[in-house]
Amino acid sequence: MLYFIQQDAVTQAAQDAAEVSEEKTLSIFDLLLSGGIAGQIIILILFVLLFAAVYIYFERLFAIKSASRVDKNFMHQIKDSVSNGNIESAKIRCAQADNPVARLTEKGISRIGSPLEDINTAIENAGRLEVYKLEKNVSILATIAGAAPMIGFLGTVIGMVLAFHELATSSGQAQMGLLAEGIYTAMTTTVAGLIVGIIAYIGYNHLVVKTDKVVHQMEATAVDFLDLLNEPA
């Protein structure tokens, strides 16, 4: 009889341990929703910012990659056409390429016959417009990188305020569930805000590097084109 009682006790202890283990297991989704209404609102805002950051990153990445594709023989063909006085052929070649480097070159070609300083100014103005197009919405990514952690910290402050308010209104006998809700709000929003901020920050800097490469291509093309015009006839 004693053996069966001990066996039942061991079985019950194992079941209790399994139940405790199940209770301690918390999915990421449950964790995000465990911070109360305030925490859920903050998490929702951060999810919207994450979606916007990912969308802007990939949209700009594909646009910049498309802009950076330049035929290696492009400038050689332009030089041959301009040297032979075939200006229309050079313009057609630029229109077919349809990228920032080609549009910059076409702007210079359209000014052939004007003073070299005017041509240089026209190319610089066109270059500024092309850079503006490349950097479209990238500043939003930088804003998200800075704002997301701050929003997460806002959730932290709200969560701690809720926890301390519960302590203050319960005369030191607060329910642990309500205290845990405030702490969850503080921790989950902080983590979520930092994650969104890091993703946006890395994406922003990667796009800046890609944009700088295209700008370098445009500058090199402008120098080559002006050197072409400076060559003796």
Side-chain angles (χ1 to χ4, degrees):
M1 177 67 70
L2 180 61
Y3 171 76
F4 288 111
I5 293 175
Q6 290 176 343
Q7 189 175 18
D8 291 340
V10 171
T11 303
Q12 184 65 34
Q15 291 177 351
D16 293 341
E19 290 177 359
V20 170
S21 177
E22 289 178 359
E23 289 177 357
K24 290 183 178 180
T25 302
L26 189 64
S27 67
I28 295 177
F29 183 75
D30 291 335
L31 182 63
L32 294 176
L33 296 181
S34 60
I37 296 178
Q40 291 171 12
I41 292 175
I42 298 293
I43 292 295
L44 178 61
I45 293 173
L46 291 173
F47 265 119
V48 172
L49 292 179
L50 177 61
F51 175 80
V54 172
Y55 173 80
I56 291 172
Y57 171 74
F58 283 106
E59 188 272 332
R60 284 293 87 198
L61 181 64
F62 293 142
I64 293 171
K65 279 188 175 182
S66 177
S68 65
R69 295 193 186 99
V70 180
D71 187 357
K72 295 181 179 180
N73 298 320
F74 174 75
M75 281 308 299
H76 294 294
Q77 295 172 351
I78 296 299
K79 287 180 179 180
D80 291 340
S81 298
V82 173
S83 298
N84 295 327
N86 196 347
I87 304 301
E88 289 301 321
S89 176
K91 289 182 178 180
I92 292 173
R93 180 69 186 91
C94 291
Q96 290 174 343
D98 192 25
N99 56 55
V101 170
R103 288 191 287 271
L104 215 64
T105 305
E106 184 179 10
K107 181 63 67 175
I109 293 172
S110 65
R111 294 293 191 276
I112 289 180
S114 302
L116 195 61
E117 184 177 349
D118 293 344
I119 297 175
N120 186 29
T121 301
I123 292 176
E124 288 179 354
N125 292 335
R128 292 192 189 96
L129 291 175
E130 293 298 333
V131 172
Y132 175 78
K133 292 177 182 178
L134 290 174
E135 294 178 345
K136 178 184 177 183
N137 294 331
V138 175
S139 60
I140 298 177
L141 207 57
T143 302
I144 293 174
M150 295 177 66
I151 293 174
F153 292 145
L154 174 62
T156 300
V157 174
I158 292 174
M160 297 309 295
V161 167
L162 292 175
F164 283 113
H165 178 266
E166 178 60 26
L167 280 174
T169 56
S170 61
S171 301
Q173 298 179 351
Q175 295 181 8
M176 293 304 297
L178 295 177
L179 283 177
E181 183 176 300
I183 296 172
Y184 269 133
T185 300
M187 296 300 101
T188 56
T189 55
T190 300
V191 172
L194 290 173
I195 290 174
V196 174
I198 290 170
I199 292 173
Y201 181 75
I202 293 174
Y204 170 77
N205 282 281
H206 185 240
L207 292 179
V208 168
V209 172
K210 291 288 186 182
T211 302
D212 287 343
K213 289 181 179 180
V214 179
V215 172
H216 176 71
Q217 283 182 335
M218 292 191 293
E219 290 175 347
T221 301
V223 170
D224 289 343
F225 183 76
L226 292 174
D227 288 343
L228 171 62
L229 298 182
N230 279 323
E231 291 178 358

